[in-house]
Amino acid sequence: MNRTTNYNLCQFEETDRVRRTDFNEDNAKIDAAVKAVDRRVDGLEASKADKTALAAVEAKISRIVTGTYAGTGGSSGVRRISLPGRPKLVLIRTDYPNTSHHDEAIAITDICLCRCDTYSSLSVDPPTSGYALENNGFTVPANCDQNYSGSTQHYMAII
């Protein structure tokens, strides 16, 4: 009787005596090999499930995104700043070039707009036209301090 190369299973020839024990041994080998494959696949499935669970947790964790943009000035439309998701809060600090007015800070949320300028003036208002949080970023009005022509805007967003 010949045997297979990989699992040493019976390969009966015409003159071989067929025995029940040969089949039982072969079935036991096949069963063990299939179970080993199942264990590997189950391990991969668990790994995929773990990755899916991890991705769900990561999606709920806030992260901070920072950047800058240059003010363009003008009076047409709003200035849109793209982010990798919807911000919960945006803080913007404005630098004015060549002036004694050094900076202004603004905080944008869905429920209020907070401003603090160089002279320590603080105001809290409902969001006004042009200031908004969007699904993939935020907007500021075209004609505002956060879009002052030639100024550099530094922002930090919590997404």
Side-chain angles (χ1 to χ4, degrees), residues 124-151:
V124 179
D125 304 304
T128 58
S129 176
Y131 291 100
L133 303 181
E134 297 184 336
N135 285 336
N136 291 309
F138 64 95
T139 63
V140 295
N143 220 5
C144 70
D145 290 340
Q146 288 67 48
N147 197 24
Y148 182 77
S149 183
S151 65

Side-chain angles (χ1 to χ4, degrees), residues 35-115:
K35 185 61 177 175
V37 170
D38 283 348
R39 283 189 193 112
R40 283 191 297 245
V41 169
D42 287 345
L44 290 174
E45 291 304 318
S47 176
K48 287 179 186 175
D50 291 344
K51 289 178 184 175
T52 301
L54 180 60
V57 170
E58 286 176 341
K60 292 180 181 181
I61 297 173
S62 295
R63 59 189 169 132
I64 295 174
V65 177
T66 61
T68 62
Y69 63 93
T72 58
S75 59
S76 60
V78 297
R79 176 73 190 259
R80 285 188 163 68
I81 308 303
S82 295
L83 298 173
R86 181 177 178 78
K88 297 174 178 81
L89 168 71
V90 174
L91 302 173
I92 304 170
R93 181 177 174 269
T94 303
D95 286 334
Y96 298 95
N98 305 320
T99 68
S100 61
H101 190 86
H102 296 291
D103 59 29
E104 178 178 65
I106 192 164
I108 306 168
T109 71
D110 278 325
I111 58 171
C112 72
L113 182 68
C114 300
R115 301 174 203 242

Side-chain angles (χ1 to χ4, degrees), residues 16-31:
D16 290 335
R17 180 173 173 243
V18 178
R19 298 179 325 159
R20 176 185 50 83
T21 55
D22 292 331
F23 281 104
N24 289 345
E25 288 172 11
D26 285 353
N27 286 337
K29 291 175 187 175
I30 292 168
D31 184 69

